[in-house]
Amino acid sequence: MHRAVMPQIGTAQAWRDAARQFLAAGIRPEDILWGDANTAPDLFGTDAPLRPNGQVSVPRSFVSMASSVVWHGDPERFARLYTFLWRLKDAPHLMTDRGDRDLSRLRQMEKNVHRCQHKMKAFVRFREIGEADAPRRSFAAWFEPTYHTVEPTADFFVRRFSDMDWRILTPDVSAVFENGKLSFHEGQEKPHLPEDASEQLWITYFQNIFNPARLMVKAMQSEMPKKYWKNMPEAAFIPRMIADAPARARAMAQAAPSLPPARMAQVQAQLAAHHSAWDGPSDALPAAIAACTRCPLHCTATQAVVGEGPMDADLMIVGEQPGDQEDLSGRPFVGPAGQLFDQIAVQAGLDRSRAYVTNAVKHFKFTPRGKKRIHQRPNTSEIDHCRWWLDAEVAQVKPKLILGMGATAAEGLTGRRDAILARRGKVEEAPDGTPVLLTLHPSYLLRLPDRAAKADATAQFRADLETAVRMLA
Ligand code: URA
């Protein structure tokens, strides 16, 4: 019999290491006694040396699930995980088997842990404890989590409160963040924490944002379960607020409408500016686009990719957004989709160097997967924000014809999101009346797996480019 006692701090790593070794040595679940600091397995277990029997490979989805489940309170969690991992070894499809009872129990535990983490993020209340003249402000919070969620949730607080020292004390494990360093310690008894001025400010804020006309007691209690109330200063005021709500709501309904706040004019001016057109000098446009922060895409992209080509081109070609290679090089349509476009354009007699080439969205949108950046289609809000620049480019270049490639370009140019397959080959209009010939996006051709479908779509794409050439002849 083997024995594995998991520490209270660093549990996830310890379980992963132990499970890997047991699996590599071919140790069956029934031959292991798992335990933690509270439920250490009996002394009959032995720590017999393990002989690895080869490499183990574990699906990523299991690793992710296990990294949450280990923080659950169920004393059987380590054994349950290992038993499932053992089965998974010969049946990798199990991770997607919705009917599997072991998996559904583990998924439920994972969900419980996530919910507990969410509650911790929402209900930890810090009180200031530091000296007034200390170089960093210092805070402490007492919290009673349902599961062992201090360690996996601490990073959230590090990101939020990196410029101050803080500690989250719990009966289970405590997290301490001091001078930028996070450490974990054993749990402790509830300490006495002073009330502080920011607490009064928070209570006032909480009472002010409470809208008596929208009170839903059940939803409120399920979102903020009572067991957390005792450590939340604002909770003492909730019963009174609930009791007063009907009278306050009636009074609100009877009161005369209030005047818009003084800052309304400023907000309206900002909104108007948002919908107006860019009106800088033409040579300032590329730098203005490059500095764009109108939507969050600029935060993750390497750079904005500005359109390129003659500023008096008859033809403007609009794609979706820069891809991985465009994002790195700063030029539109240089990656695989651009190369395919170039090839077909030559066949169609379209001279790319005489066209102005740009995108509906100027920043690359992606999600990281390992070392790769996987393209994500821009949403309507991102397309709307970037239309400001597309309109400015159209106004500067004044093309006779715009070739819109793909659904995003079509949406950016016409405001309509309808399916591109039904619209391709037809001419629509930009808001300023410029004709917009719609076609497929070259990356759509690249993605089609079926040879015949790919050949058909390529022929349609080529025909649309030929139409563009004819329209400008
Ligand atoms: N796809 C696009 O839509 N634009 C580019 O610049 C590259 C790929």
Side-chain angles (χ1 to χ4, degrees), residues 210-367:
F210 175 77
N211 182 348
R214 303 190 65 185
L215 172 65
M216 285 187 289
V217 178
K218 276 216 172 106
M220 187 174 182
Q221 283 185 352
S222 99
E223 203 22 56
M224 195 195 264
K226 275 202 163 162
K227 68 177 198 171
Y228 295 107
W229 286 22
K230 60 180 184 291
N231 296 315
M232 295 166 62
E234 70 273 31
F237 297 82
I238 294 176
R240 169 95 274 147
M241 288 180 348
I242 293 177
D244 290 350
R248 283 184 60 199
R250 266 196 311 280
M252 277 165 65
Q254 282 159 10
S258 53
L259 292 172
R263 63 179 187 284
M264 189 64 187
Q266 201 184 338
V267 172
Q268 276 177 334
Q270 274 169 8
L271 281 175
H274 185 80
H275 292 297
S276 64
W278 187 78
D279 62 356
S282 66
D283 55 357
L285 183 58
I289 294 178
C292 178
T293 54
R294 289 171 64 82
C295 82
L297 292 185
H298 75 277
C299 301
T300 45
T302 309
Q303 57 191 314
V305 176
V306 177
E308 67 177 23
M311 291 306 281
D312 58 352
D314 285 347
L315 177 64
M316 176 182 266
I317 299 172
V318 181
E320 182 193 68
Q321 61 161 344
D324 184 74
Q325 296 194 26
E326 288 79 9
D327 170 78
L328 296 173
S329 69
R331 296 187 51 216
F333 282 106
V334 293
Q339 287 159 22
L340 180 63
F341 171 80
D342 287 348
Q343 257 175 39
I344 302 176
V346 170
Q347 294 163 10
L350 188 155
D351 183 356
R352 169 174 168 167
S353 68
R354 293 179 56 195
Y356 182 88
V357 181
T358 191
N359 283 298
V361 170
K362 309 296 187 225
H363 282 109
F364 180 32
K365 179 176 179 182
F366 63 92
T367 44

Side-chain angles (χ1 to χ4, degrees), residues 162-175:
S162 56
D163 59 342
M164 50 184 78
D165 290 343
W166 49 259
R167 50 193 58 215
I168 301 174
L169 309 170
T170 86
D172 181 45
V173 164
S174 295

Side-chain angles (χ1 to χ4, degrees), residues 11 27 38-39 41 63 140 179 197 221 237 241 262 284 288 293 312 331 406 425 433 445-446 453 471:
T11 322
I27 310 293
N38 303 319
T39 60
V63 176
N179 296 320
Q221 283 185 352
F237 297 82
M241 288 180 348
T293 54
D312 58 352
R331 296 187 51 216
L445 311 181
L446 287 172
M471 285 176 71

Side-chain angles (χ1 to χ4, degrees), residues 134-158:
R136 278 164 73 88
R137 294 179 73 190
S138 188
F139 294 81
W142 172 251
F143 190 69
E144 293 167 51
T146 309
Y147 303 120
H148 309 282
T149 41
V150 173
E151 198 175 325
T153 320
D155 265 351
F156 166 84
F157 293 96
V158 170

